Each structure stands twice: as C-alpha cells, then as structure tokens.
Amino acid sequence: MEKQEVKIMTISKNEESTLQVSNLHMKYNEGKHNEVYVLKGIDMEIKAGQMVAIMGPSGCGKTTLLNLIGGLDKYTTGNIQINGSLLGDFSDNEITKFRRDNIGYIFQLFNLFEDQTALENVSLPLIMQRIEPSLALNRAKMMLQEVGLGDRFNDLPGKLSGGEQQKVAISRALITDPKIILADEPTGDLDTASSNDIMQLFRRMQQENQGMSIIIVTHSQDIANQCDRIIRIDDGKILNDQYFNTEEN
Ligand SMILES: Nc1ncnc2c1ncn2[C@@H]1O[C@H](COP(=O)(O)OP(=O)(O)OP(=O)(O)O)[C@@H](O)[C@H]1O
Ligand SMILES: [Mg+2]
C-alpha cells in the first residue's frame, strides 16, 4: 500500500504563533437525551508573546477551553486556528505530534506518572521528541533545580507534597520550550512566594523564547494581575477582555 505523507504543523523557533478561537461551542452528551452546552460561542485571538489569564467561576468552562486548544478534546462547532492551520482538520496522529512539538500543558490535577521519579516525569517530553536520554536527563535536572526541587530528582510523585508535584508538572510542561503554554491553575497548590517564583519563571522563559504565548487559568486575582491581559468567562461566554502593559492598551 502506498504510504501517505502526513504533514505535521510544527511552529518553528522564529515563527509567531497566533491562536484564533472563533465562535467555539462545546457540548457534552450526558446520557442519550441530555446535552450540556459548556462553551457557547467563544471568540478570542491570542498573539505570540502574550501572557493571558483566564478567570471565571468554577464550572464556567475554563478547563474545557484549554483542553480544546490543546487538542485533548474535539469541539462541537466553531474553529480553533493556530498560525492559520485549523485544529479540526488534523487527524488524531497529527494532533498528538502537534501537541508534542508545540504545546506545554500543565494539568489542573498534575497528571504525573506515579511510577516514575520526578526526574523521569520531567524528562519524558524530550524523550518523546527523541532527544538523547542523557541530554534529556541533564535538561530535566536543570528544570527541577529552577523550581527548587534540586534535591528531589529520585522521588516518586507519591512522596512529594501537592505543591512539589505541581512544580514537577510545571517543569515537565516547560522543558521543551513550547510555543504555547496552557496552564490550568498552575499555582493552585503553591504558597504566595512559590507562586510568584513560578510567574517569574514563566516571564524568564518568555524572554528567552521570543513569541512564547502563555495562557493561565487562575482563580487568583494576584496571579492574573501579573499577566498582560485578563479574559473573564462566565457560563461558557466571554464576559470581558482586558489588556494591560501592551500596545493594545
Ligand atoms: N467530560 C465531561 N462530560 C460531561 N460534562 C463535563 C465534562 N467535562 C466537564 N463537564 C462539565 O462542563 C462544565 C465546565 O467544566 P470545566 O471543567 O471546564 O470547568 P472549570 O471552569 O474548569 O471549573 P473549575 O474552576 O472548577 O476547574 C462543568 O459543568 C462540568 O461538569
Ligand atoms: Mg478547571
């Protein structure tokens, strides 16, 4: 059988990654006759290099939105475009590769591998990119040192506190220098000092990797105030969209 060429969109290091979400709807089917509309027409454009907070009450659809942008779930109607490519046009295989090469996802519930050490968890995205294991481990050590876990390399997640696990999850998301970071309450388990350290780490990464966009779901006004922009969602719709310190101001 003739082998089909699979084109994968990878955002190159110098390329700007604009994310365009248009009239996005998402419904979940709960049983045969019960459809729950969670997103009801979300429109937003996020330019390369922006750090954006997404706020809103529990259950308003923030995690759902991040999951759709990260290609972890399929939207019902509407569009998500990244650099002009429609996410909905990708095959499952293409989405997996796209995510591996372009997205750093910090999950609300961390999603660490319980049988792998902190170091192994953090190095995994580089191993998936077929980076040489010794290089991957060295880079993972540097990332863990950056977040203050230089002495916890060999601990399994079960031996770490919630905040420490969150730092491992953050390190794992940042290790590939992704173009888009999707962070679902990344400081939810951290004290104020650690939260501010993580925000500074995000800023540093952004300065080192021009064009990196960071989308942070948060319930903390303090964290949101450190972003360039705050998008407020309520009941599946954008309530308001506020810019700070950018040319759009
Ligand atoms: N897989 C699913 N099947 C059915 N309903 C779902 C599913 N995932 C989420 N929902 C529903 O969608 C709504 C939005 O959930 P979502 O997790 O996006 O909220 P959220 O804004 O992230 O809330 P929180 O701040 O508590 O994390 C909720 O009412 C939830 O019950
Ligand atoms: Mg959530």
Side-chain angles (χ1 to χ4, degrees):
M1 202 168 63
E2 202 180 318
K3 207 174 167 195
Q4 260 197 334
E5 193 191 348
V6 181
K7 284 212 179 93
I8 305 297
M9 186 187 65
T10 299
I11 305 169
S12 76
K13 285 284 171 204
N14 304 320
E15 203 177 348
E16 304 247 301
S17 59
T18 301
L19 169 69
Q20 181 103 41
V21 175
S22 318
N23 201 19
L24 194 70
H25 286 75
M26 179 64 173
K27 76 169 181 226
Y28 290 109
N29 294 313
E30 285 189 331
K32 226 176 181 177
H33 304 292
N34 194 10
E35 294 178 336
V36 186
Y37 270 88
V38 177
L39 299 182
K40 304 171 182 174
I42 298 277
D43 288 289
M44 62 185 193
E45 183 182 43
I46 295 179
K47 296 223 172 90
Q50 275 185 353
M51 188 184 282
V52 182
I54 295 188
M55 301 190 81
S58 255
C60 73
K62 304 179 300 294
T63 296
T64 303
L65 179 61
L66 280 203
N67 283 345
L68 295 178
I69 295 171
L72 292 168
D73 221 338
K74 291 202 163 94
Y75 40 91
T76 309
T77 58
N79 276 326
I80 296 178
Q81 277 189 41
I82 299 176
N83 280 4
S85 293
L86 276 177
L87 220 53
D89 286 347
F90 287 10
S91 68
D92 288 350
N93 221 354
E94 288 170 329
I95 286 200
T96 304
K97 291 199 171 108
F98 171 73
R99 205 167 42 235
R100 182 194 69 191
D101 294 335
N102 300 290
I103 305 259
Y105 203 121
I106 300 162
F107 293 91
Q108 191 164 8
L109 300 172
F110 317 144
N111 290 12
L112 297 175
F113 290 103
E114 294 296 328
D115 58 348
Q116 297 197 18
T117 64
L119 195 59
E120 287 164 342
N121 266 285
V122 175
S123 63
L124 199 64
L126 291 180
I127 302 287
M128 304 288 280
Q129 289 184 342
R130 300 182 202 287
I131 304 286
E132 214 245 300
S134 63
L135 286 178
L137 285 174
N138 276 342
R139 175 99 176 97
K141 283 179 185 168
M142 280 164 59
M143 276 313 308
L144 282 170
Q145 271 157 355
E146 280 255 24
V147 297
L149 293 180
D151 54 350
R152 310 304 297 269
F153 292 161
N154 297 318
D155 284 334
L156 294 173
K159 276 189 72 181
L160 301 173
S161 73
E164 287 164 347
Q165 290 182 50
Q166 188 148 43
K167 288 177 178 175
V168 174
I170 291 168
S171 307
R172 181 181 62 179
L174 297 179
I175 195 164
T176 55
D177 291 335
K179 279 305 211 180
I180 301 174
I181 306 264
L182 302 173
D184 201 349
E185 300 191 31
T187 60
D189 280 69
L190 300 181
D191 58 41
T192 308
S194 292
S195 299
N196 290 334
D197 286 349
I198 294 300
M199 291 304 283
Q200 277 172 22
L201 174 62
F202 282 158
R203 279 287 180 211
R204 241 184 0 259
M205 299 279 301
Q206 224 176 15
Q207 276 156 11
E208 285 165 17
N209 301 281
Q210 294 291 322
M212 177 186 269
S213 312
I214 307 185
I215 304 177
I216 304 174
V217 167
T218 183
H219 286 289
S220 156
Q221 191 64 49
D222 254 11
I223 295 294
N225 289 344
Q226 296 178 52
C227 294
D228 308 318
R229 178 180 173 191
I230 301 179
I231 297 175
R232 283 178 208 278
I233 296 183
D234 198 5
D235 192 23
K237 291 189 190 132
I238 292 185
L239 205 60
N240 64 52
D241 191 347
Q242 198 184 0
Y243 288 85
F244 313 95
N245 337 306
T246 60
E247 68 280 7
E248 270 112 325
N249 213 347

